[in-house]
Amino acid sequence: DTGKSWHPSKLATDRELWQGSVSTRNSIMLIGGQRGVAARSSDGGRHWTHVDTGSTEDLFGSYADERSGDLFLLGGNGVILRSTDAGLHWQRIPSGTERALRRMLRHPTMNALVAFGEFGSIVRSTDGGRSWQPIASGADAELRKGLIEPDSGNMIIVGQQGVILRSSDAGKSWHRIPSHTHRHFRSA
């Protein structure tokens, strides 16, 4: 009812859940969290089922790639988990970093996925997330949130210490934009 009323959904776990995503392509909701816990819902969040990720790392982020239908979980020690079957099975993909990854975004026209997180770490994939290469960010702060500029298609990532990064080449290179603050950005 467009948010007018809310009802609790139960998921038995003693671990914290941190960040979720929704795939409109295959009608799946996915959430990840502490020590590799993950759950999926195929009925709009009314019922949740645990999924075995095969990981014990904290999973700080999830991403639903609307272009391919693939789902991703991101986390500690540079973990990237990829599912090609709507979150039922997971494959660990080498990320090229040992730093925690928190979020992911896709360039709107180029075939490029970018994941980012701890200590300015950025990794990039041009094959749908099957392989990743580290990219220099020029920052050492934790990167927290990304977005695409509507008119230009440039990628923007914000983070701690007032970091704002922009890429005009689908994530191949990043330039710092002066924010005139050292305050932490958690969202954009």
Side-chain angles (χ1 to χ4, degrees):
D1 62 3
T2 65
K4 292 179 184 141
S5 61
W6 294 85
H7 308 281
S9 292
K10 297 200 185 234
L11 176 62
T13 182
D14 62 344
R15 295 178 266 178
E16 292 183 31
L17 298 165
W18 290 315
Q19 203 261 338
S21 58
V22 176
S23 172
T24 57
R25 181 177 172 137
N26 50 26
S27 300
I28 297 296
M29 298 174 80
L30 174 68
I31 192 163
Q34 191 177 29
R35 297 187 323 268
V37 69
R40 67 187 288 278
S41 173
S42 59
D43 64 1
R46 285 183 284 285
H47 302 93
W48 291 87
T49 304
H50 283 279
V51 292
D52 180 10
T53 64
S55 177
T56 58
E57 285 88 6
D58 289 340
L59 301 173
F60 300 118
S62 67
Y63 179 75
D65 187 353
E66 292 301 325
R67 184 176 288 177
S68 68
D70 294 349
L71 299 173
F72 295 88
L73 291 165
L74 314 154
N77 299 316
V79 71
I80 295 179
L81 304 175
R82 179 174 175 250
S83 174
T84 58
D85 63 0
L88 295 172
H89 301 93
W90 294 90
Q91 177 186 14
R92 186 183 200 107
I93 307 294
S95 69
T97 184
E98 295 295 315
R99 305 292 188 181
L101 297 170
R102 294 203 171 268
R103 301 290 181 267
M104 186 183 293
L105 70 153
R106 175 183 276 288
H107 189 274
T109 59
M110 306 298 288
N111 187 32
L113 290 168
V114 172
F116 51 91
E118 185 179 51
F119 296 108
S121 56
I122 298 176
V123 295
R124 182 175 185 266
S125 174
T126 56
D127 62 4
R130 290 182 288 282
S131 65
W132 296 85
Q133 299 77 38
I135 303 292
S137 71
D140 62 359
E142 183 169 305
L143 304 176
R144 298 296 299 243
K145 188 74 174 186
L147 59 88
I148 304 296
E149 287 181 330
D151 294 334
S152 69
N154 290 335
M155 299 175 104
I156 303 287
I157 296 175
V158 301
Q160 293 184 340
Q161 302 171 11
V163 169
I164 304 174
L165 302 175
R166 175 188 283 144
S167 174
S168 56
D169 58 7
K172 292 181 201 171
S173 63
W174 294 87
H175 310 285
R176 191 160 179 173
I177 299 171
S179 68
H180 308 291
T181 185
H182 291 289
R183 306 282 301 226
H184 298 324
F185 295 123
R186 295 186 185 274
S187 191

